[in-house]
Amino acid sequence: MLAILDYGSGNVRSALRAFETSGEDVVLTSDYSVALEAKGLVVPGVGAFGACMDGLRTVKGDQLVRERLALQRPTLGICVGMQIFFNNGVEHGDHEGVGIWPATVEKLSAPVLPHMGWNTVTPASDSQLFKGIEGESFYFVHSYGVTQCGVGRQSWSDYDGRFLAAIEDGAISATQFHPEKSGDAGLALIKNWVSTL
């Protein structure tokens, strides 16, 4: 069973539909024990970093992600759900994140923000997420991102400067883009992730 964490942020209904195409049973839940025991956990995110962290803490989601990591249970963050896995973010002030990865989520340097629409990704050479979809485009909506990262298998995109598009680091993976809004390529990425569970 896959669990999509319901903490008041994210396109939970579209994510639910997209992950159901993987053939797995999928539940939308804010129940800690259900999310902890799930075969795979999806942490969506829409909006500002600080607001997402506030919502996450109300369901002990920060603790949940760290506990799943300690147990090596696969977890996937999407969009701001990726950003909050880092140490901190500077959107509308300085906010502490879950602290899985040592980097700061900063405002992109592009003259037009948000970065909204389809963009290509340069996958890590040994990426599991992008297997078979290396040349595809994915749907982004964000003004903040990570521009330097020293951990995991990193996949990058460019919008007037390079930013981290996805990361795969053991049990924890994340995408800055929305696979659930990225058509066939996004559904293929979801199936790739599910195949690693």
Side-chain angles (χ1 to χ4, degrees), residues 169-189:
D169 187 22
I172 308 285
S173 298
T175 65
Q176 178 61 71
F177 55 85
H178 288 273
E180 78 280 9
K181 292 185 172 183
S182 295
D184 290 343
L187 296 180
L189 184 140

Side-chain angles (χ1 to χ4, degrees), residues 28-72:
L28 179 62
T29 186
S30 57
D31 184 285
Y32 191 99
S33 60
V34 170
L36 179 64
E37 296 300 325
K39 181 178 177 181
L41 175 67
V42 179
V43 181
V46 169
F49 188 106
C52 281
M53 279 304 301
D54 289 345
L56 195 69
R57 289 188 187 102
T58 64
V59 297
K60 298 182 182 175
D62 51 339
Q63 177 185 323
L64 170 68
V65 171
R66 289 190 289 265
E67 187 170 354
R68 284 186 63 89
L69 175 59
L71 295 168
Q72 288 298 292

Side-chain angles (χ1 to χ4, degrees), residues 77-172:
I78 295 174
C79 196
V80 185
M82 167 180 164
Q83 294 179 2
I84 58 178
F85 287 176
F86 288 90
N87 276 354
N88 62 303
V90 299
E91 188 174 2
H92 308 305
D94 194 12
H95 303 280
E96 185 178 332
V98 177
I100 302 296
W101 297 311
T104 297
V105 180
E106 300 175 297
K107 192 168 190 176
L108 299 178
S109 60
V112 177
L113 292 172
H115 169 219
M116 182 184 295
W118 297 83
N119 204 342
T120 55
V121 173
T122 303
S125 60
D126 54 351
S127 171
Q128 293 297 308
L129 288 180
F130 293 95
K131 195 171 183 180
I133 49 171
E134 291 85 354
E136 298 292 338
S137 294
F138 299 87
Y139 188 77
F140 292 84
V141 184
H142 64 119
S143 297
Y144 291 76
V146 172
T147 57
Q148 295 184 25
C149 182
V151 296
R153 288 180 288 197
Q154 304 159 24
S155 298
W156 295 86
S157 193
D158 191 278
Y159 183 67
D160 284 322
R162 195 174 82 135
F163 67 88
L164 190 65
I167 183 168
E168 299 162 70
D169 187 22
I172 308 285

